[in-house]
Amino acid sequence: MINLLFCAAFELGAGFVTTFSQFLALRSLFGIAMGGVWGLASSTALENLPVEVRGLASGVLQQGYAFGYLIAAVINLRLVPHTSHTWRALFWASAAISASAALIRALLPESGIFLRAKALEREKGTTTGKKTRVFIRQAGIMLKEHWLLCVYAVLLMTGM
């Protein structure tokens, strides 16, 4: 939900930029936040489905980007010509959609699989805090050794 709110904030901010560099920076940050949303959203969507339909459902999820482009095109055709804010209104509308998705997700209960995993974790006495510290330490080591490759990957993915 926090990543969705970050997405909403970056989309909202994109409607207020005044230079192309600012726009690229915000869209890059949006991409990072969206990357955080994608994995969790897809695993949450798939974990409760029967095994037989998970392949088909994951294929449908992959079309989310195409569906998003379709929604953006409809908003662009219906909203943008009727407002004095032109293209900025498109980003403000998408920020509202992301914020609404975060609100809906906040109202939904956690999945049964997640709740069972948490109960098992409590029984064993392990916490996610320990796993998080290990991840952060390993990520720090990776960034120290491969920082140039990470910068290259970010620049490559942002189209620079």
Side-chain angles (χ1 to χ4, degrees):
M1 290 181 302
I2 291 171
N3 275 343
L4 278 171
L5 293 175
F6 276 131
C7 285
F10 295 139
E11 287 170 319
L12 186 65
F16 290 102
V17 299
T18 56
T19 67
F20 188 61
S21 297
Q22 292 171 347
F23 182 76
L24 280 180
L26 272 177
R27 296 307 290 168
S28 296
L29 292 171
F30 171 82
I32 292 169
M34 180 57 83
V37 170
W38 173 249
L40 296 174
S42 61
S43 65
T44 300
L46 294 175
E47 70 185 0
N48 290 319
L49 290 176
V51 175
E52 305 84 43
V53 296
R54 287 183 185 170
L56 177 64
S58 69
V60 170
L61 287 174
Q62 289 295 328
Q63 294 307 310
Y65 282 105
F67 188 67
Y69 290 139
L70 181 63
I71 291 172
V74 169
I75 292 171
N76 188 45
L77 288 172
R78 295 292 178 196
L79 175 68
V80 171
H82 305 292
T83 180
S84 62
H85 301 293
T86 63
W87 62 270
R88 297 173 190 275
L90 182 62
F91 287 96
W92 296 335
S94 64
I97 292 170
S98 292
S100 299
L103 177 66
I104 290 168
R105 179 61 189 103
L107 298 174
L108 294 174
E110 291 292 350
S111 70
I113 292 173
F114 176 80
L115 294 175
R116 286 191 298 273
K118 280 295 194 187
L120 185 62
E121 195 173 78
R122 276 192 299 273
E123 285 177 18
K124 291 182 178 181
T126 60
T127 64
T128 55
K130 187 182 294 184
K131 294 175 186 175
T132 302
R133 284 189 294 277
V134 168
F135 171 78
I136 290 172
R137 185 172 54 249
Q138 290 176 345
I141 292 168
M142 182 275 303
L143 286 172
K144 284 179 186 175
E145 292 180 18
H146 304 288
W147 67 271
L148 189 59
L149 185 60
C150 290
V151 170
Y152 170 74
V154 168
L155 292 176
L156 181 68
M157 295 305 290
T158 56
M160 299 177 121

